[in-house]
Amino acid sequence: MSAKDLFHEAVKRGLEKEQWIITDDPLELEWEEVKVKIDLAAERLLAAKRGEEKIAVEIKSFIGTSAISDFHTALGQFLNYRVMLEAKEPDRQLYLAIPLETYDTFFQSQFAQTVKQRYQLKLIVYEPINEEILQWIN
């Protein structure tokens, strides 16, 4: 079993509060000899569109001693996972889940904003104590 992020269950419950159904915990993908485990996969029925929306979520807590170091790891995983999803599950959108405090501090820097835009990061901002999803950023 892989180590789960500190706030894994908080994000999971936050998604469930928004009517997402967790389908995989983790979502395991394999491409030749490369295997990855993305923290969560979820689906939600879109009544208005009569279809369904599928997501994969990589959860990060950003509790290390260096936000930039945590960001390097998160970005590397995000980019690798996105390539894997494009090949294996192209209808699933990948999100990086980050805590509100990190979004309000590190992610407001010009550097983080530029990286977010350049690599088209999709973010879920969550509040870990109340286990709520606060913002979806595409």
Side-chain angles (χ1 to χ4, degrees):
M1 181 175 185
S2 65
K4 290 184 178 177
D5 187 84
L6 178 64
F7 299 132
H8 182 96
E9 293 301 318
V11 173
K12 184 177 175 179
R13 283 192 276 278
L15 289 169
E16 290 170 337
K17 287 179 184 177
E18 292 196 357
Q19 308 304 310
W20 287 93
I21 298 169
I22 306 301
T23 58
D24 299 271
D25 182 8
L27 173 62
E28 298 183 40
L29 299 174
E30 185 173 344
W31 188 358
E32 295 177 346
E33 72 280 356
V34 177
K35 297 176 184 175
V36 299
K37 292 182 180 180
I38 303 172
D39 289 324
L40 291 174
E43 296 178 8
R44 181 170 65 179
L45 214 57
L46 298 173
K49 294 181 181 178
R50 295 182 185 225
E52 61 184 10
E53 187 176 7
K54 295 181 177 181
I55 61 172
V57 182
E58 181 61 20
I59 302 164
K60 293 297 174 199
S61 59
F62 282 84
I63 57 170
T65 56
S66 167
I68 191 68
S69 180
D70 289 346
F71 188 52
H72 286 310
T73 301
L75 180 62
Q77 286 179 312
F78 184 91
L79 295 175
N80 289 337
Y81 294 170
R82 185 163 60 196
V83 169
M84 183 73 86
L85 281 171
E86 287 170 357
K88 298 296 180 179
E89 294 197 29
D91 59 337
R92 193 176 297 277
Q93 294 294 310
L94 178 62
Y95 284 86
L96 178 65
I98 59 172
L100 176 62
E101 183 177 337
T102 301
Y103 179 73
D104 283 345
T105 55
F106 179 78
F107 274 82
Q108 297 309 308
S109 70
Q110 178 120 21
F111 173 75
Q113 290 289 318
T114 300
V115 171
K116 178 188 151 302
Q117 186 175 20
R118 180 164 301 164
Y119 294 105
Q120 301 172 352
L121 298 180
K122 295 176 185 261
L123 302 177
I124 295 174
V125 180
Y126 65 91
E127 202 294 303
I129 304 300
N130 295 325
E131 302 178 336
E132 292 180 352
I133 305 301
L134 301 177
Q135 193 172 1
W136 295 77
I137 301 170
N138 290 315

